[in-house]
């Protein structure tokens, strides 16, 4: 027994050492900035890293929320000087059942204040190792789907063309069309789509409009987004559109049901999806509809469908995608806070973004490790752009 114990190693214990090697330069700079801008704390406060006015990460329940309380970039012309840009697309006029996704960007940002970017599982400190900014929200046009698409297209195009990695918080899934359209415009080659959802979203029109059930019909008509490289995971249940099913068959898209994921296992299913999505492509766009997760774990969504992935399965799946694929952007859609319970759906959406970014850092695709820069923020060069495939 003693010999067997000596052979055991634990990622958590190992990662404590790895995390200890990451300097805390940016944390110290943030503390000093908060004191400089927010006044030193009252004399009775013993912790002199606290300011009078909240200007930093703490208290988590105070201050003005951006995603993870990263800097708010008011001048979007400067986005090219940063590595990751968070943008909200608060649009839900493309829903065909329960609305409310317009409130998701605010809800996800608010609950993100719970976290500080420090992760033991992957030995990553996002605050220290990755240059993230929040651009706020796209000015959507609530009564006009097509004008909103044009607005989102222009916004995401601006981010992607600058070299920053775009992370879009929807909004309903109709925004998938302008999101991937804008990103694909910046890729010199074909783009594959890895789409996690309980619904196939391939109808041409729904109630005579391009709704949240139609985005991939139109996206796969874009010349460098072949339908053969659209892979959809989790499709099934009782709320699918028969017209969309016919399009999937005609265009040769790949559809994995929850049963397929169960049979193959998450790792093999993710590998198979990536193998197909990556054929003759230069980049992959990750589209996560939160309703792929069972409503027991994610009730706050517009079209819930029982029997979906567990939270852990979904997070594992997208982490594999982030590890193996040359991602060119991601979106998280269909969170509907009015139907949520205790913010658990917004929290899961937040976690999905954090996990993908952490994997990109750990795999040296983004951040200080990717640049081969010194670990000290004082020595590191200014943030550049994402390493494009």
């Amino acid at each position: 027994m003693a010999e067997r114990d000596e052979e055991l190693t634990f990622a958590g214990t190992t990662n404590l050492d790895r995390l200890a090697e990451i300097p805390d330069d940016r944390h110290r700079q943030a503390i000093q900035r908060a004191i400089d801008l927010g006044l030193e704390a009252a004399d009775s406060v013993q912790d002199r890293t606290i300011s009078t006015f909240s200007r930093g990460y703490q208290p988590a329940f105070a201050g003005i929320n951006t995603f993870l309380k990263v800097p708010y970039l008011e001048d979007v012309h400067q986005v090219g000087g940063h590595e990751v840009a968070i943008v909200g697309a608060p649009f839900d006029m493309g829903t065909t059942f329960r609305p409310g996704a317009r409130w998701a960007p605010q809800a996800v940002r608010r609950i993100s204040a719970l976290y500080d970017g420090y992760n033991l599982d992957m030995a990553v400190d996002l605050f220290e190792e990755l240059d993230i900014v929040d651009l706020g929200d796209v000015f959507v046009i609530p009564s006009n789907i097509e004008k909103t698409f044009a607005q989102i297209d222009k916004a995401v195009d601006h981010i992607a063309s600058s070299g920053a990695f775009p992370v879009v918080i929807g909004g309903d899934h109709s925004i998938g069309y302008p999101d991937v359209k804008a990103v694909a415009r910046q890729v010199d080659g074909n783009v594959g789509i890895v789409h996690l959802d309980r619904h196939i979203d391939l109808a041409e029109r729904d109630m005579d409009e391009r709704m949240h059930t139609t985005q991939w019909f139109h996206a796969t008509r874009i010349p460098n987004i072949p339908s053969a490289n659209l892979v959809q995971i989790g499709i099934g249940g009782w709320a699918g559109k028969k017209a969309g099913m016919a399009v999937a068959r005609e265009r040769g898209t790949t559809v994995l049901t929850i049963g397929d994921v169960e049979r193959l296992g998450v790792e093999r299913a993710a590998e198979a999806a990536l193998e197909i999505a990556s054929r003759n492509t230069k980049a992959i766009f990750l589209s996560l509809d939160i309703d792929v997760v069972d409503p027991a774990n994610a009730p706050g969504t517009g079209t819930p469908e029982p029997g979906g992935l567990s939270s852990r399965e979904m997070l594992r799946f997208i982490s594999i995608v982030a590890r193996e694929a040359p991602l060119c952007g991601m979106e998280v859609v269909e969170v509907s806070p009015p139907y949520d319970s205790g913010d658990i759906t917004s929290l899961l959406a937040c976690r999905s973004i954090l996990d993908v970014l952490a994997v990109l850092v750990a795999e040296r695709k983004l951040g200080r490790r990717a640049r081969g820069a010194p670990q000290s923020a004082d020595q590191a060069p200014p943030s550049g752009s994402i390493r494009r495939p």
Side-chain angles (χ1 to χ4, degrees):
M1 180 65 72
E3 292 180 1
R4 183 181 300 175
D5 289 344
E6 290 176 3
E7 296 174 359
L8 289 176
T9 58
F10 300 101
T13 304
T14 302
N15 287 349
L16 290 174
D17 295 330
R18 293 176 178 173
L19 283 167
E21 296 173 357
I22 301 173
D24 62 353
D25 301 309
R26 289 182 177 173
H27 286 277
R28 289 186 288 103
Q29 291 168 5
I31 289 169
Q32 188 58 52
R33 179 180 181 276
I35 294 171
D36 292 342
L37 300 179
L39 305 181
E40 290 187 1
D43 293 341
S44 60
V45 176
Q46 296 182 41
D47 185 350
R48 303 313 295 174
T49 66
I50 292 174
S51 57
T52 297
F53 293 88
S54 176
R55 290 294 183 270
Y57 288 86
Q58 294 295 330
F61 52 81
I64 299 172
N65 281 342
T66 59
F67 183 80
L68 206 61
K69 289 196 174 181
V70 299
Y72 169 54
L73 189 66
E74 185 172 13
D75 185 355
V76 299
H77 296 91
Q78 298 178 14
V79 68
H82 304 277
E83 292 172 302
V84 175
I86 307 292
V87 62
F91 182 73
D92 61 8
M93 296 298 289
T95 54
T96 55
F97 188 47
R98 303 195 306 197
R102 68 178 62 186
W103 303 109
Q106 289 186 17
V108 173
R109 287 184 177 107
R110 176 172 50 78
I111 201 64
S112 75
L114 174 65
Y115 296 121
D116 59 9
Y118 198 74
N119 183 274
L120 178 64
D121 300 293
M122 287 178 271
V124 167
D125 187 333
L126 288 180
F127 185 64
E128 289 290 342
E129 299 190 83
L130 189 60
D131 183 4
I132 311 171
V133 290
D134 193 325
L135 272 60
D137 294 338
V138 177
F139 195 135
V140 303
I141 314 299
S143 61
N144 194 300
I145 291 174
E146 298 302 327
K147 288 181 181 179
T148 291
F149 285 177
Q151 286 281 90
I152 294 171
D153 184 341
K154 184 173 182 178
V156 178
D157 179 89
H158 178 73
I159 295 168
S161 64
S162 76
F165 182 82
V167 177
V168 184
I169 306 173
D172 69 57
H173 215 161
S174 68
I175 70 166
Y177 170 63
D179 284 346
V180 73
K181 179 183 178 184
V183 170
R185 195 179 294 124
Q186 307 305 324
V187 176
D188 183 19
N190 289 342
V191 174
I193 301 172
V194 173
H195 166 221
L196 286 83
D197 201 328
R198 290 291 274 149
H199 311 101
I200 204 157
D201 295 352
L202 266 167
E204 181 176 4
R205 290 189 178 273
D206 194 340
M207 292 182 277
D208 209 42
E209 292 286 351
R210 295 202 284 185
M211 308 292 272
H212 70 162
T213 54
T214 71
Q215 69 276 6
W216 305 135
F217 178 95
H218 301 284
T220 55
R221 298 177 76 178
I222 296 169
N224 68 329
I225 308 179
S227 57
N229 297 117
L230 169 62
V231 184
Q232 303 175 278
I233 299 94
I235 310 302
W238 295 95
K241 294 289 182 183
K242 190 172 182 180
M245 305 290 180
V247 173
R249 185 170 180 272
E250 292 166 4
R251 295 192 180 178
T253 68
T254 298
V255 181
L256 281 71
T257 66
I258 293 294
D260 289 322
V261 177
E262 285 184 327
R263 176 173 54 85
L264 295 171
V266 172
E267 284 74 14
R268 179 63 188 123
E271 291 169 1
L274 283 170
E275 180 183 350
I276 297 166
S278 300
R279 288 174 187 167
N280 302 312
T281 63
K282 290 290 186 69
I284 300 294
F285 182 75
L286 175 60
S287 177
L288 171 61
D289 185 327
I290 207 70
D291 72 30
V292 75
V293 177
D294 192 286
N297 298 141
T301 190
T303 315
E305 180 61 50
L309 299 175
S310 69
S311 297
R312 187 180 298 175
E313 288 172 331
M314 183 274 284
L315 291 172
R316 178 62 181 151
F317 196 105
I318 64 174
S319 293
I320 294 170
V321 172
R323 185 186 72 204
E324 301 295 337
L327 288 185
C328 56
M330 73 173 292
E331 64 181 7
V332 182
V333 298
E334 295 289 349
V335 174
S336 184
Y339 295 95
D340 208 0
S341 176
D343 292 318
I344 61 174
T345 312
S346 297
L347 188 64
L348 184 58
C350 172
R351 269 295 305 268
S352 68
I353 296 169
L354 294 177
D355 281 24
V356 167
L357 294 181
V359 172
L360 293 177
V361 169
E363 295 296 318
R364 301 178 182 274
K365 295 182 178 183
L366 274 179
R368 218 177 271 165
R369 303 184 199 185
R371 298 193 304 270
Q375 283 286 56
S376 171
D378 295 328
Q379 298 172 285
S383 299
S385 61
I386 182 174
R387 184 178 66 185
R388 289 285 177 197

